[in-house]
Amino acid sequence: MAKIPSAAVAAGGLVGGYGVARWTRKRQLGGAVLAVAGAAAAQQWRQQAGGKAAGALTATYVAAFAGSHPLAKKVGAWPAVFAVAGAMALASWAAADRRG
């Protein structure tokens, strides 16, 4: 079975988490999607790049989630989510996926 790149898992968690929260109107459900994808990505980061990189990427994932909120006030919700998801995917690829 082909492995999904951690960049796609992380970006998908950010986009999917927001989408689920918005469409279901249940923020907790969106948070669960965000957390599950983040945990899956962190496991991949640890395997591919080691503990320090995994810790830094996990902190970046949380910062991307938090940073999307003030950014959304300036550019709108979906553009903010896509921007931080793209940045997270790039960081994940650069630190972990390109090695594999």
Side-chain angles (χ1 to χ4, degrees):
M1 186 161 107
K3 185 167 99 173
I4 299 170
S6 64
V9 174
L14 290 163
V15 173
Y18 175 70
V20 166
R22 180 164 180 148
W23 289 317
T24 64
R25 299 187 186 270
K26 297 188 186 300
R27 293 178 70 175
Q28 299 86 351
L29 192 55
V33 170
L34 182 78
V36 168
Q43 183 178 16
Q44 285 185 272
W45 294 328
R46 194 174 312 107
Q47 291 172 350
Q48 293 172 337
K52 281 187 179 181
L57 287 166
T58 300
T60 303
Y61 185 77
V62 172
F65 167 70
S68 69
H69 292 83
L71 182 60
K73 293 177 194 265
K74 296 179 186 217
V75 300
W78 280 111
V81 170
F82 286 128
V84 300
M88 186 67 237
L90 181 61
S92 181
W93 175 82
D97 290 339
R98 73 179 173 151
R99 298 174 186 235

